Amino acid sequence: KVKLTNLQQMANTLIFLQENNYDSIEQLKTNYANALSSFNNSQIKRNTLNQEIVKLNEQIHYLGQYYATKPYFTKMLYEKNKATFHKDHSMEISRFEEARKYLKSIYSTESVPSLQYLYRQRDQLKSDLKKINTTLHAQWKLENQLKIVLSNTNSLLKHENQRFVTRNNSLE
């Protein structure tokens, strides 16, 4: 049963080589190296997109926190007894100050974008991520297929070389 599976794999390897017009093992190795490189580059792009999405989510969080707690801070500014108001709403005011400090560190020289803009930007990145994941899957399949074909071809060539050496030794 094992030999039958091996024969089927070798037959599939030969069919793949013929269908894709591979003329040499060097060509196969080059294409495998290119497929592996493309796959690795796509993984780097995917990781970069994921990091950008994480940053945007953090910005969205703090901008939302800023807008949600800003009324407390504004009201405190107009209160006669600021200390009492600050004590009663210390959590909201500290969250506002935390969000304001974060936003100033990110947008020190430019204006803070709207939440809608950040949401659109995140949606675009998620769309790009979905496309890159589809590409990655296709590249992974190709890289895996080429790896198997390369391995089978190397096995086949080793086996043929061993038979050739054995024949030459028996002829002497």
Side-chain angles (χ1 to χ4, degrees), residues 40-133:
N40 290 335
N41 289 337
S42 292
Q43 280 186 316
I44 291 168
K45 285 179 187 175
R46 181 184 61 186
N47 292 342
T48 302
L49 283 174
N50 277 327
Q51 289 171 353
E52 289 178 31
I53 289 171
V54 166
K55 286 178 186 177
L56 270 176
N57 282 336
E58 187 177 44
Q59 291 172 23
I60 289 169
H61 166 76
Y62 280 107
L63 191 55
Q65 181 175 313
Y66 174 84
Y67 287 133
T69 56
K70 185 177 180 179
Y72 292 99
F73 185 79
T74 305
K75 191 170 182 182
M76 182 189 72
L77 295 176
Y78 297 106
E79 282 290 318
K80 289 183 181 181
N81 194 346
K82 289 179 178 41
T84 305
F85 187 86
H86 192 279
K87 182 180 167 192
D88 292 343
H89 301 284
S90 63
M91 189 163 176
E92 292 86 356
I93 293 169
S94 67
R95 291 181 71 219
F96 171 80
E97 289 170 346
E98 174 190 27
R100 183 176 62 180
K101 180 179 175 184
Y102 172 83
L103 293 170
K104 278 185 178 182
S105 73
I106 299 295
Y107 303 105
S108 60
T109 59
E110 54 193 89
S111 62
V112 177
S114 69
L115 273 172
Q116 290 76 18
Y117 175 77
L118 293 177
Y119 284 135
R120 282 193 305 272
Q121 214 175 4
R122 184 180 64 183
D123 290 343
Q124 181 60 49
L125 289 175
K126 283 183 176 183
S127 174
D128 294 346
L129 184 62
K130 191 174 184 178
K131 289 175 189 171
I132 198 85
N133 280 334

Side-chain angles (χ1 to χ4, degrees), residues 20-34:
N20 292 288
N21 299 319
Y22 284 105
D23 297 330
S24 67
I25 189 103
E26 288 77 23
Q27 182 185 11
L28 182 61
K29 286 179 181 178
T30 300
N31 284 0
Y32 173 70
N34 290 340

